[in-house]
Amino acid sequence: MNVEFYERIWMWAAVGLLVIFLGTIVVTAASNAVHPPSHMETIDPATLADNPEFGNPAVKEQPDGSVVVSVVAQMFSFSPDPIEIPANRPVTFRITSGDVIHGFEIVGTNANAMAIPGYVSQFTITFKNPGEYLIGCNEYCGLLHHTMVGKVIVKEATR
Ligand code: CUA
């Protein structure tokens, strides 16, 4: 089969681009510790208010010094807000939704999960730098989606 010289160049250029694009995805995913969700837990969204954990979502310190934050996302806010947590300690976020699918992204970190009615999303993160972080909802959830923000306040650990 005879392939024109210029066509050959463009074929290899196209292959090269594919390799570069896929490589970019792999490298950024690895360097930013991106990984798919691995926690599977269901919950009845209709009885959230009576749920011992999510009926009163809050930041709870565990006996071992770690921190668990239960979060309910609901049009168009997060509860609790603000979320006050200590720096340099593992913080486990447990997130669910009371209505539709929302996003829970802590801007500037790799904390990013979906809040899905009927499910609890969970991840653990340690904040090294005290300060204020913005929480954004990154799933379109209704007319005021763009106003759905929250705040994480990371405080210097006092221990
Ligand atoms: Cu909640 Cu968009």
Side-chain angles (χ1 to χ4, degrees):
M1 189 175 64
N2 180 43
V3 180
E4 292 287 336
F5 175 64
Y6 283 111
E7 196 167 0
R8 211 180 287 268
I9 290 178
W10 285 110
M11 281 164 61
W12 281 111
V15 169
L17 276 179
L18 280 181
V19 169
I20 290 171
F21 291 160
L22 289 175
T24 306
I25 292 173
V26 170
V27 168
T28 52
S31 63
N32 293 313
V34 173
H35 55 82
S38 54
H39 184 76
M40 172 70 191
E41 182 181 339
T42 56
I43 187 170
D44 180 2
T47 58
L48 266 195
D50 302 323
N51 183 281
E53 179 182 0
F54 291 101
N56 181 24
V59 179
K60 293 179 198 98
E61 194 162 343
Q62 304 304 111
D64 66 357
S66 67
V67 175
V68 173
V69 186
S70 308
V71 179
V72 173
Q74 209 147 11
M75 293 177 192
F76 294 97
S77 61
F78 299 98
S79 175
D81 184 32
I83 296 170
E84 285 194 27
I85 50 174
N88 295 309
R89 274 205 258 168
V91 177
T92 298
F93 283 88
R94 291 168 52 75
I95 305 150
T96 191
S97 167
D99 40 40
V100 299
I101 292 179
H102 298 277
F104 183 91
E105 177 177 7
I106 305 177
V107 178
T109 72
N110 72 339
N112 187 359
M114 288 170 83
I116 306 171
Y119 292 88
V120 177
S121 300
Q122 177 175 307
F123 61 85
T124 301
I125 181 172
T126 300
F127 286 86
K128 291 196 173 63
N129 303 316
E132 290 191 4
Y133 295 78
L134 182 72
I135 305 168
C137 172
N138 56 14
E139 301 281 347
Y140 182 73
C141 53
L143 276 183
L144 296 180
H145 158 71
H146 62 287
T147 67
M148 186 164 173
V149 291
K151 194 191 278 184
V152 171
I153 301 173
V154 179
K155 296 198 156 168
E156 200 79 60
T158 50
R159 218 182 12 156

